[in-house]
Amino acid sequence: LGLVVGLPGTGDGARNLPTVRALRAALMRMNQPTGDNDLKNADNVAVVMIEATVPKAGLRRGQKIDAYVSAISAKSLRGGRLLSSPLTALGDSRTAVALASGAITIEDPKLPNTGRLALGVNLLQNVTASFV
């Protein structure tokens, strides 16, 4: 999960409680506490799902790969930027293996609520594919 900011009024806004909670938590981590009414017009923010695929050969720390983001309820992610978001491996939600951030590119005009982060994932540790 991540937060996209800088949307031109096409985000989730204050009608989406999870978005307001996530934005409030992010602002608290930046030493910018907010009151209940401070975020009532935050329609420039959206909660998104982030997905990145590790190739079969694996990846090394410091490598960068693409990621895809999908809005949960925003109308469009056009013009948005993903705030730095930790990515975890499937099955281990406690250890961040990468950080994702950057400008979102809308690849299909018919699907403005999904986009790509070109080389927007920076690996924090080596990731290998293991098969049993």
Side-chain angles (χ1 to χ4, degrees):
L1 266 155
L3 273 178
V4 172
V5 297
L7 301 171
T10 59
D12 298 334
R15 70 183 185 278
N16 189 326
L17 193 54
T19 302
V20 173
R21 284 183 185 147
L23 181 56
R24 183 172 287 128
L27 290 170
M28 287 289 285
R29 282 191 297 270
M30 295 177 208
N31 293 322
Q32 297 297 319
T34 59
D36 288 339
N37 289 325
D38 293 341
L39 303 176
K40 67 180 177 183
N41 295 321
D43 60 354
N44 63 335
V45 180
V47 171
V48 294
M49 297 298 291
I50 308 163
E51 180 182 3
T53 303
V54 175
K56 288 180 185 178
L59 294 167
R60 294 203 173 271
R61 181 181 181 183
Q63 282 187 285
K64 294 188 177 198
I65 59 172
D66 292 352
Y68 293 90
V69 295
S70 301
I72 294 174
S73 67
K75 296 176 197 135
S76 173
L77 298 176
R78 189 175 316 279
R81 220 177 149 74
L82 178 70
L83 293 179
S84 185
S85 304
L87 300 183
T88 59
L90 288 176
D92 180 8
S93 63
R94 291 176 279 172
T95 306
V97 295
L99 289 176
S101 67
I104 297 170
T105 302
I106 304 299
E107 296 183 313
D108 185 349
K110 294 179 183 177
L111 297 170
N113 56 349
T114 63
R116 182 171 62 97
L117 288 170
L119 300 177
V121 175
N122 185 19
L123 275 287
L124 300 174
Q125 56 184 285
N126 295 339
V127 179
T128 57
S130 59
F131 297 97
V132 177

